[in-house]
Amino acid sequence: MQIFPRALNKLPVYAALANVVVLVAVIGIPWYYFSPKNLQVGYEPHQPVPYSHRLHAGQMGMDCRYCHAQIERSAHAMIPPTQTCMGCHAVVKTDSAMLAPVRESWETGNPVQWIKVTKLPEHVYFNHSVHLAVGVGCVTCHGRIDQMDVVRLDKPIAMQWCLECHRNPEPNLRPKEQITNMTWTSDQAPPGWKPPEVHPPTNCSGCHR
Amino acid sequence: MSSRNRPIKEIGEVYLTKEGMSFHEVSDTVCTVTEKRAPRNWWIAFFITSTFAAILFITIAYVFWQGIGVWGNDSPSFWAWDITNFVWWIGIGHAGTLISAVLFIFRQKWRTGINRAAEAMTIFAVICALLFPAIHVGRVWFIYYMFPIPNQMAIWPNFKSPLVWDFFAVSTYFTVSLLFWYAGLLPDFALLRDRAMGMIGRAGKIRRLVYGSLALGWRGSHRHWQNYERMYLILAALATPLVLSVHSVVSMDFATSVIPGWHTTIFPPYFVAGAIFSGFAMVQTLMLITRAVYGMKSLITMRHLELMNKIMLLTGSLVGYAYFMEFFIAAYSGDEYERYDFLSRLFGPFWWAYVWMFGCNVVVPQLFWFKRFRTSVPVMLAVSCLVNIGMWFERFVIIVQSQNRDFLPSSWGYYRPTGVDVCLFLGTLGLFFTLFLLFIRWVPMIAIAEVKGVLPQADPHDVGEHSTEGSPGHEAAADAALAGGE
Amino acid sequence: MSKRQPYPQEPARPGDKPVWITLGEKRSAKAPDASAELVTPIKSSDVIPTSRLSRRGFLGLGAASAAIASEGCIRRQVEHIYPYAKAPEYVIPGVPNHYATILTRHDEYVGALVESHEGHPTKIEGNQDHPTSLGSADAMMQAATMDLYDADRSATVREKNGKGSDWAAFDKAFDAILKTLAADGGGKLRVLMRPSNSPTIIRLREAAVDKFPHARFHFYAPVSQGNVYAGGKIAFGTPVMPRYNYAFAKTIVSLDADFLGTEQGALHATKGFARGRRIERPSDPMSRLWVVEPTLTVTGANADERFRLAAGDVDAFARALAGELASRGVDIGPVKDAIGDAKAPEGTDAFVKALADDLVANKGKSAVVAGRRQPPHVHALVHALNTALENVGRTASYAPVSDLVPFDLGADLKALADDIDGGKVDVLLVLGGNPVYDAPGDIKLGEKFDKVPTSIHLSSHFDETSEHCTWHLPMTHELEQWGDGRAYDGTWSIQQPLIAPLHGGRSAIEILARLGEEPAKAYDLVRTTFRERAMTPAHFEAAWKTALRLGLDSGSNSIQFEAHATLPDVAAALQKAPLPKPIGPQNLEIAIAPDNKLHDGMSANNPWLLELPDPLTKIVWDNAALFSPATAKALDIEDNDVVSLSRDGAQTIEVAAFVMPGQADNSIGLVLGWGRQNSGRYGNGRGFDVSPLRTVKDMDIMSGAKLAKSGRTYKLVQTQEHGRMEGRPLALDTTVEEFKSNPHFVLFPSDEKEIAETGPVKRELERPGSPTPKTGPLWDRIKYEAHKWGMTIDLSTCTGCNACVVACIAENNIAFVGKEQVYRGREMHWLRIDRYFVGEEENNPDIAFQPVACVQCEDAPCENVCPVNATTHSEEGLNDMAYNRCIGTRYCANNCPYKVRRFNFLEWRSPEGARQPVLDTYQDIPETEKMAFNPDVTVRMRGVMEKCTYCVQRIEEAKIAARREQRGMGPNEIKTACQQTCPADAIVFGDLNEPRSEVSRLARSERGYALLAVLGTHPRTTHLGKIRNPSPALHKAKEPK
């Protein structure tokens, strides 16, 4: 005699199928969903001062290095001191409400609390200066900043993504004088220009120390 | 009834069960254990063991919170009790597969009395073993780095590392043993289900449902038996190499390193022998207790025990040979580091551990040369316990002692365990016995069908008697008869 | 895993975890001096991200559940960037600056070059141009940043019995006090300070004396150069600090002088000594060092011929030596008669004779040195000998020292105590120091201080002395203050602050100035002093700037003279001085020396130093009384026994005993600087205070000690418990003769490959090196085209001074773990110095030091066993260790034959719920300590493996700089932290593929060998075998075994 309905005879088959599905999910969902592509790209916080790169870098065409000075000498692309802002805004838009935090910072000496957008893990030692030195453009990692009113994270900054370039840098190299050019493409390269010979590190200590 | 007790014996064949046991008696002896309410002693034992199991999990939580610094591990003993326990448990987990698979393939009928319990023990031991690699890492929340999962870092595990081999070897072993055990259980679950038919009330209902689903609709038809036998044979064939592979791989954790006392080519066979040795010792211990408590003397006869003792004598001597061989190699190699290490095993700071190991593993089993000891329950109980202790010390000596006498004397130290180490070890014992108690309470602890298969009545020539039996178990029994008879 | 927070952070918004209180806030409490602003531009600001992830955030909770205040579409923790409001000059975020300054050591100052990351001093190096450091730094200098960031430094002015107060209140009170004092010209004013040659202090003191003619200045330091000066006074009529040219000297005799360790000027002494020992070819000349001393010191460990001699017998030995020299025709004039027929201490006859021969043979190329604790007449005698041996002007020169500092500091302190008893003191001004702790026991200074109506103590901590004073004033650290000082040769250096005072303290000169002049900023005081030596006002500013930049005023090292001892005076002194009665089992001797790492205990709260193993005993977190094995047996003492020591007229102390080979029989070795009760969280109650045993009469060497066993034991912890090499070829050494006969002594005789490369090896060589395997690996060895980093460590010149170890700690953010954990063998030092006892004689062994860090194997056992690829090989041959990939199976460490890998068994730094092992509490480490972290190196969390990386952060920095400047790399451009600080230049790092690099030359040296080469690991670090130069005459040439 039998205490189960016939339908249950298929049980093993269903179980097997279920297993496959679960396995795929367990691996696939983290693989896809918990990836920087999903978790980071598009991060676009509101800054204390609604500074518009589109206006300054885009329309006015200011060079990135006017504010992010020393970037060619230091590992960090330093956020400009209030000083730099006041350099112009001591005379321009002196009463703009949007600039109130800047003026306040200038008077009190307390820093403006910018919110960090492009973030690398703390065990990663990224050096801006060397990347610029070999001719990696700002746009390569930061996207079309000159079109952003509010800075947003444009690229999935994950190890794999870094390695793609470190393993094959040529496509992302450009003449040094073009590094801040947001619209440069390889076909604008001067005749006969060849990307410099670079050997970016692909071993651990290149970035982790 | 007398005719039934007229056995047909081949020359020299001995009964594996009490003479003249009927299929029904077999079914009853085994099944009633799961059907009657548990004896008070079971509850007492269960209380004690589950307490230790609880301690285990509390300790593990504590270790995760504080870091493994709460153990005694130090430099140079980066591995100590954690890996010692791991290897010890894995070793114990060997007897099961050996008994069920290898002996099955060699048609050793006497295995039937013990293989069920042995396999269960194997699985529980492997569970305890698997705990340690999991919790012994410094950052357990990143342990998935060891698994080959596609990831954003574009890094894979290092397949050169014996630890990765370990991971695969042990998990495979666990899976196969589990399947093997479950497969063997199918007819017996069906039997329990059918016996539950007569029961009334919720208990009966639940039993029907649970055992019913576990039995996967086993009806004991000839087709079932045919497929079943084929599958069982295949699984056995699959499992057999594992018996050798698992502990060989575990031994390579050490054999592939450079540390004197670890870097030894004889490790794989030596470890396997040791594993079977300790496995049988553990089975022996458990069998002696259960058969006494549950009156299985009729099914687990002195013959079983004696055969196991003989195997222990054999493997114990193999291990002993390995010990001597290690010294010979060290001396013959002319490697000063190797020599120093082995001398300090005898005369170094850990000499006491070596004495335990050698005494328990090599000297004590020699008792089994004498039938008097081979067949005396108290002796074999004492010996089997001692052997397990000795095997633990073997791993301790290999792992800790070698590390503390390696190449640069400047970094030599003396390992001291902490209370946490002790709690963890006792905890795993607790877990192991808890699981085993649950097993004997709810699962037929002896492979009923297989035992029936080796009863004389199961012999086709022993005609027509059993068919007259009207017991709930008769189907199973009948099929068992066919099974045993093929 | 998070980098050190390089910047102070304001709490960004509610819900965010504050990272730490800002320096800005601290500073805004008081106006920063404009001058300090120039060099310490500190505003709380940063462009480096600061993690809100707790160190346990890894649990994943961090990302998932921690406050996700987020605008924007992506859920993510908010992090802030704090740029400067007004960017300071010369500071580029992410690019460290270096400033030259000076630090006190004994009575002089050593030049330092301090690395500062956006206003945080993180690393101290020696100043190349400064004569006292010559680019090197010792362990204490390296650890100075930890002193600066010590969280237990006093931050508040306190009035009697610790009542909180502030500077304003003190200023008011002090003005009143000064008024009353002015009445009688300060007759009842006493000032107690440490001896110093700082021009500004001298100037201010004179000014003070002008204003308070009857005030008296007293000087005290537990470790004084008094005997040296006094000896000079006898011999030359003026106190001098002798200086010896160890590089040039062929025979060096140390009479109880630890000139490579705890004596003044050890840094440049080591530099010179190493130069005299470094021989590349067997033909090269090599100096021979003779040492007689009671306790095995760093110097004694480097001796070619050493005799264990009780400190009290050194006098007799010196006289005997003089006698022997005289009998060999060395003209020591009247001194000969003064000596009479002094008998050499028993057992030393042969030694003295051989030594005398050696000295005579090397006339004019030898140096006889006496230790600072030897009585003046011994120093005088030594001067006489150097004169007689024609060393003056060749290997010996002398620099005069101002004699305003009394020679006998103990007596000076006693005088002060007596004045107090006599009620002659109303106001006592204690500038720095901790006299109540380190004064001789028989003065009982604490009680005395209590009697003084007004006592003011300026000190970095509220310490033992502060407790007995009515006022306590927080003092600035040397890296926080303006000052000046002179080197041994008079070189005038400016001390400039790296950071504004963290706890708003003041420096000694600022307080001192108030006595004489109007209150002024230290900056102006120092400039005023400097103006006096700079010629024209016009020239002044330029000179000032230069001095700041170089860290010294070039051309100020005027004074340096070569005098000849006036022998009659010496003779007279000798006649006056009675010979102490010889030491014996009935007459135990106690010899007290400054500690090898804590020195006199002023930085006793420095965990880096506390956990630094003693070079010889390898004991950490404690000091001990050292007994020779023979004495220990005679007195039935074993390691860890607590014994009580006492002598007439002194207090009794209890101290743990330790049996140390090389200790003189019947002489007990003790060190100062331990047993502090009020030093701070780390130092309190560590070790045993020995000053109570000292008396004004006998400060350092005292006989007639009584010993009693207490029956109790005390756990002493060592980092190295096993001292023998077990006949293994590890730290290889040989003698000059051997080296001449067999240049390849480090090679394995049957090693055809090496032999083919480096010529024949004598077969009968008994001691084999470690053979490289005959059969190479089955796979192809990697070719290293680009860089190929390697290192050589010269065992011949390494003195085992420990500087490299601390340098490594400071550079690589290495954690300290506490005594209990070291007992468990969990110390984290990437670089350790193995110390082996060589030779059978347990009482008097030779010492072999062997620095061992990761040797960066080319075929590394650690790499292929890591299951997760956390440690891999770089194309430049480094064993990269990726902390953030490590899961902590510890397999690599098991498989490392050199045992150089260190594992973070616990969260050493920030417990956040877990128990902090070091202090056994649940509190987090102080915020200020985090400021000491090097931002270029990851701070490792618990559960990960770590090890020496060849300072990969420096390598990468250099490579990036070269790439940035579109140039190739210099041959010796990169220096590792250990190499940079090594006073003996024993460590050399560089590119083996670069033919011009020093390392590629040394790696091919005949003495070069790979440790445990037999394993086929092909280490990149090779050691250069040690060469000893024993006296053949003494027949003590040690055959290689």
Side-chain angles (χ1 to χ4, degrees), chain A residues 39 74 116 119 122 203 209, chain C residues 3 74 76 93 880 938:
Chain A
L39 296 185
S74 168
K116 195 164 175 54
K119 184 202 170 197
E122 296 205 330
N203 56 298
R209 296 159 204 169
Chain C
K3 251 174 283 172
I74 306 297
R76 177 169 155 193
D880 287 349
T938 309

Side-chain angles (χ1 to χ4, degrees), chain B residues 64-65 68-69 71 73-74 78-79 82 136 138-139 156 158 161 253 257-259 403 406-407 410 416, chain C residues 56 58 728 823-826 834 865-867 869 884 886-891 894-895 905-906 941-942:
Chain B
F64 283 0
W65 182 246
I68 60 163
W71 296 346
N73 300 37
D74 57 28
F78 289 95
W79 287 349
D82 44 2
H136 98 290
R139 302 199 298 167
W156 295 94
N158 175 10
S161 165
D253 290 349
S257 81
V258 299
I259 304 302
Q403 285 171 322
D406 65 347
F407 296 98
S410 59
R416 306 172 185 82
Chain C
R56 297 199 160 215
F58 49 73
R728 302 176 176 188
Y823 174 68
R824 282 217 169 275
R826 294 172 179 177
D834 293 345
V865 297
C866 173
N869 276 320
N884 41 299
C886 176
I887 64 173
T889 64
R890 310 186 295 293
Y891 199 173
N894 282 338
N895 209 19
F905 281 95
L906 294 165
M941 70 183 299
R942 69 127 149 143

Side-chain angles (χ1 to χ4, degrees), chain C residues 111 649 667 708 788 862:
Chain C
S667 173
K788 182 177 177 181
C862 55

Side-chain angles (χ1 to χ4, degrees), chain C residues 590-606:
Chain C
I590 293 176
I592 296 180
D595 184 53
N596 280 316
K597 41 190 186 181
L598 290 188
H599 195 55
D600 60 5
M602 288 314 287
S603 51
N605 196 39
N606 189 322

Side-chain angles (χ1 to χ4, degrees), chain B residues 273-322:
Chain B
I276 295 162
F277 186 39
S278 59
F280 269 78
M282 181 58 87
V283 177
Q284 188 73 298
T285 320
L286 296 173
M287 285 297 105
L288 288 170
I289 297 166
T290 37
R291 101 191 246 276
V293 174
Y294 287 102
M296 299 282 170
K297 293 199 173 59
S298 51
L299 293 175
I300 309 171
T301 63
M302 185 52 74
R303 174 130 187 279
H304 291 110
L305 303 177
E306 192 181 349
L307 284 167
M308 301 229 299
N309 289 339
K310 284 182 178 166
I311 294 190
M312 281 166 65
L313 177 56
L314 170 70
T315 48
S317 310
L318 279 174
V319 170
Y321 168 80

Side-chain angles (χ1 to χ4, degrees), chain B residues 221-463:
Chain B
S221 71
H222 287 200
R223 249 180 77 240
H224 280 183
W225 275 111
Q226 206 178 1
N227 297 333
Y228 172 85
E229 286 294 332
R230 195 175 292 126
M231 170 192 71
Y232 202 76
L233 196 60
I234 293 171
L235 277 176
L238 279 176
T240 311
L242 286 178
V243 179
L244 303 179
S245 73
V246 182
H247 226 51
S248 305
V249 171
V250 170
S251 77
M252 286 176 194
D253 290 349
F254 309 102
T256 58
S257 81
V258 299
I259 304 302
W262 285 15
H263 181 66
T264 316
T265 44
I266 64 165
F267 261 14
Y270 161 17
F271 267 50
V272 171
I276 295 162
F277 186 39
S278 59
F280 269 78
M282 181 58 87
V283 177
Q284 188 73 298
T285 320
L286 296 173
M287 285 297 105
L288 288 170
I289 297 166
T290 37
R291 101 191 246 276
V293 174
Y294 287 102
M296 299 282 170
K297 293 199 173 59
S298 51
L299 293 175
I300 309 171
T301 63
M302 185 52 74
R303 174 130 187 279
H304 291 110
L305 303 177
E306 192 181 349
L307 284 167
M308 301 229 299
N309 289 339
K310 284 182 178 166
I311 294 190
M312 281 166 65
L313 177 56
L314 170 70
T315 48
S317 310
L318 279 174
V319 170
Y321 168 80
Y323 295 167
F324 288 113
M325 191 43 68
E326 277 189 318
F327 273 85
F328 172 74
I329 295 172
Y332 189 69
S333 68
D335 177 331
E336 56 186 305
Y337 307 105
E338 196 80 14
R339 283 179 182 172
Y340 190 96
D341 177 51
F342 278 94
L343 282 181
S344 66
R345 282 190 180 181
L346 288 175
F347 308 111
F350 291 101
W351 63 271
W352 47 270
Y354 194 84
V355 170
W356 270 102
M357 142 184 169
F358 196 84
C360 297
N361 297 347
V362 184
V363 180
V364 174
Q366 303 308 321
L367 287 174
F368 287 153
W369 285 110
F370 310 99
K371 193 169 181 70
R372 250 187 64 244
F373 296 123
R374 241 183 3 245
T375 51
S376 123
V377 171
V379 172
M380 61 179 87
L381 183 64
V383 171
S384 58
C385 292
L386 282 176
V387 164
N388 273 314
I389 296 172
M391 285 310 291
W392 190 90
F393 273 105
E394 177 193 301
R395 277 60 180 257
F396 179 82
V397 167
I398 291 175
I399 293 173
V400 173
Q401 192 278 343
S402 308
Q403 285 171 322
N404 280 286
R405 286 294 177 272
D406 65 347
F407 296 98
L408 298 189
S410 59
S411 36
W412 291 353
Y414 186 77
Y415 169 79
R416 306 172 185 82
T418 66
V420 181
D421 288 307
V422 181
C423 288
L424 268 181
F425 181 53
L426 296 182
T428 46
L429 284 172
L431 177 65
F432 176 79
F433 285 109
T434 310
L435 292 171
F436 196 78
L437 282 170
L438 289 172
F439 158 74
I440 55 179
R441 175 82 186 83
W442 296 112
V443 180
M445 76 182 82
I446 289 181
I448 305 169
E450 301 203 20
V451 171
K452 288 176 180 170
V454 298
L455 287 183
Q457 313 80 303
D459 192 317
H461 308 95
D462 179 25
V463 279

Side-chain angles (χ1 to χ4, degrees), chain B residues 93-108 111 119 122 169 172-181 230-249 272-273 275-276:
Chain B
H94 265 59
T97 333
L98 181 85
I99 292 169
S100 32
V102 180
L103 298 190
F104 174 77
I105 286 177
F106 289 111
R107 290 277 178 260
Q108 292 296 311
R111 70 185 260 287
E119 289 166 33
T122 293
T172 317
Y173 182 65
F174 180 68
T175 326
V176 172
S177 326
L178 193 62
L179 283 175
F180 204 62
W181 183 58
R230 195 175 292 126
M231 170 192 71
Y232 202 76
L233 196 60
I234 293 171
L235 277 176
L238 279 176
T240 311
L242 286 178
V243 179
L244 303 179
S245 73
V246 182
H247 226 51
S248 305
V249 171
V272 171
I276 295 162

